[in-house]
Amino acid sequence: MKKGIRNTAVLLTVTWLSILLLACGNQTSTPSAGTDDSKTVNETQTNEDQSNQEQTASADNSEGETRMFKDWTGHDVEVPVTPKRVIYHGEVTGDLLALGVVPVGILRQEGTVYDDQVAQAEDVGFPLSVEKALTLNPDLIIFSNSDEAQYDQISKVAPTVTFDSFASLDDRMRILGDLLNKKPEAEAWITGHQQATEEMWKQLHENGLKEGETASVFTMYPGNRLFVMAGAGLPQLLYGADGMKPTAEIQKVLDEGMGFAEISTEKLPEIAGDRVFILDPVTDDAKQSTKELLDSPIWKNLPAVKEGKVYRFDLVMASSDATSREWLLKELPKQMIQ
């Protein structure tokens, strides 16, 4: 994946959709259909020397020990073998939680499925506040950004590694498992997640989902802007193995390596799939735009709408991190099985 600097100025709006759209939009290749089952991790972060060293180090005897780690953007960083006080600044805090690591500092987003798990974590703000980070005395900072100017400032606080939060879920879990001395936990989570996903799709197919059905995911952005989601968030689950398929127009978005595309309402009939998913937005104006869209004739005439195959999820809750994915595996059948 090409390293792109994320648009931090616009992200200051601090809406979850802004973070999702603009962050993944500055990545030149987002995951396409089925990439969550990737078995290959960035080889620069999983070389044999690191694997051997991690296998011989345990939580009991690694206190104070360090090792070298090559991060997403190529920094060689001396990090603790077993970090104790981690700041995670990015979109997939739930990945760390799934590995049993609760960060001392995070980029807080209200309304996630894991709010209660991070209730004691400090919000380090956006952009990350160096002053706030210093008060938390971290021994590791994980920075989901490739902005070198920010990195230079943050890395003065504690060992800092950049992390690609828009890599596939399996790859992210393996990278974090390596970095946090949680390799067995990461592999166990991946195995369990794959099994749970297979079981979910089997359940759905036994309850009316046909092979080859298409799905599309839409959300409204402030300013009455309509987006179809493709390679980020909920579609990563929907278009995975055993799941549904993107429509031809959405496949074009995926083929171009894009996480989303802005569309006009007039394009809805050719983009909407056999089943349609709506991500309810955060801001009041986007919520009003969503209501107007769902009340419009063009929406009501979509085949999926007429057949009652429309499903609504909260934008923030239906995220792509590991903890949110666990939630989605339970919630998707609740909505789709009538």
Side-chain angles (χ1 to χ4, degrees):
M1 182 174 288
K2 185 177 178 181
K3 304 162 189 173
I5 297 176
R6 295 174 178 170
N7 191 335
T8 56
V10 180
L11 286 178
L12 285 170
T13 58
V14 194
T15 67
W16 188 253
L17 183 57
S18 292
I19 291 176
L20 176 63
L21 295 185
L22 292 168
C24 72
N26 281 329
Q27 303 297 319
T28 58
S29 77
T30 51
S32 6
T35 58
D36 267 353
D37 293 322
S38 168
K39 299 294 188 296
T40 303
V41 181
N42 187 321
E43 62 183 18
T44 63
Q45 298 190 359
T46 56
N47 60 69
E48 289 300 318
D49 290 340
Q50 289 181 355
S51 297
N52 293 336
Q53 186 173 5
E54 284 289 78
Q55 290 167 0
T56 58
S58 70
D60 292 333
N61 62 18
S62 63
E63 189 81 27
E65 293 183 7
T66 62
R67 66 184 180 97
M68 298 306 296
F69 184 89
K70 184 179 287 294
D71 71 10
W72 169 42
T73 51
H75 306 103
D76 289 304
V77 186
E78 185 176 0
V79 300
V81 170
T82 305
K84 299 294 185 183
R85 296 183 60 81
V86 179
I87 290 176
Y88 173 72
H89 193 265
E91 304 87 0
V92 291
T93 303
D95 288 2
L96 282 75
L97 299 175
L99 294 176
V101 175
V102 180
V104 296
I106 60 172
L107 170 60
R108 186 171 299 284
Q109 296 294 330
E110 301 294 342
T112 68
V113 301
Y114 50 79
D115 276 0
D116 58 336
Q117 296 184 56
V118 294
Q120 301 304 314
E122 296 286 342
D123 183 4
V124 294
F126 190 93
L128 190 152
S129 168
V130 172
E131 292 77 11
K132 184 65 175 180
L134 280 167
T135 68
L136 297 176
N137 192 30
D139 57 7
L140 177 67
I141 299 174
I142 304 174
F143 182 51
S144 292
N145 202 310
S146 57
D147 187 323
E148 279 296 313
Q150 288 189 61
Y151 178 88
D152 288 344
Q153 293 298 314
I154 296 166
S155 61
K156 293 180 173 66
V157 176
T160 300
V161 298
T162 58
F163 175 68
D164 182 9
S165 58
F166 288 91
S168 73
L169 179 54
D170 288 0
D171 282 2
R172 296 197 316 264
M173 294 300 280
R174 288 193 171 103
I175 292 167
L176 289 171
D178 178 19
L179 179 60
L180 300 170
N181 201 9
K182 295 280 187 177
K183 281 187 175 181
E185 291 87 343
E187 291 302 327
W189 190 91
I190 291 169
T191 299
H193 173 257
Q194 290 172 344
Q195 293 173 346
T197 303
E198 290 170 3
E199 291 169 3
M200 182 202 70
W201 287 121
K202 180 181 178 182
Q203 179 187 13
L204 289 173
H205 284 297
E206 289 174 348
N207 286 274
L209 179 65
K210 299 180 178 63
E211 293 291 338
E213 281 197 57
T214 57
S216 50
V217 182
F218 300 103
T219 194
M220 295 298 299
Y221 185 82
N224 198 31
R225 300 167 66 191
L226 176 62
F227 285 85
V228 59
M229 307 305 295
L234 179 60
Q236 291 178 318
L237 171 61
L238 298 181
Y239 304 149
D242 302 321
M244 292 175 275
K245 307 299 181 184
T247 62
E249 289 298 312
I250 295 174
Q251 186 60 56
K252 291 178 183 177
V253 179
L254 289 165
D255 291 343
E256 292 174 7
M258 297 168 63
F260 64 94
E262 184 173 5
I263 63 169
S264 66
T265 54
E266 288 73 23
K267 294 273 290 183
L268 276 172
E270 58 185 286
I271 297 177
D274 299 316
R275 296 178 187 262
V276 171
F277 295 79
I278 291 291
L279 298 179
D280 289 321
V282 175
T283 64
D284 289 340
D285 59 337
K287 289 178 181 178
Q288 179 60 32
S289 295
T290 301
K291 182 180 183 304
E292 292 171 0
L293 173 67
L294 271 55
D295 287 339
S296 68
I298 195 166
W299 178 265
K300 291 181 177 180
N301 283 319
L302 295 176
V305 176
K306 291 181 176 180
E307 295 174 17
K309 295 180 179 179
V310 177
Y311 316 98
R312 296 180 70 167
F313 287 91
D314 182 274
L315 172 70
V316 178
M317 299 180 76
S319 296
S320 58
D321 65 89
T323 304
S324 297
R325 178 63 63 82
E326 292 170 351
W327 177 82
L328 277 170
L329 290 180
K330 298 175 183 177
E331 290 299 313
L332 198 61
K334 288 180 183 178
Q335 288 213 31
M336 292 184 64
I337 298 175
Q338 304 298 324

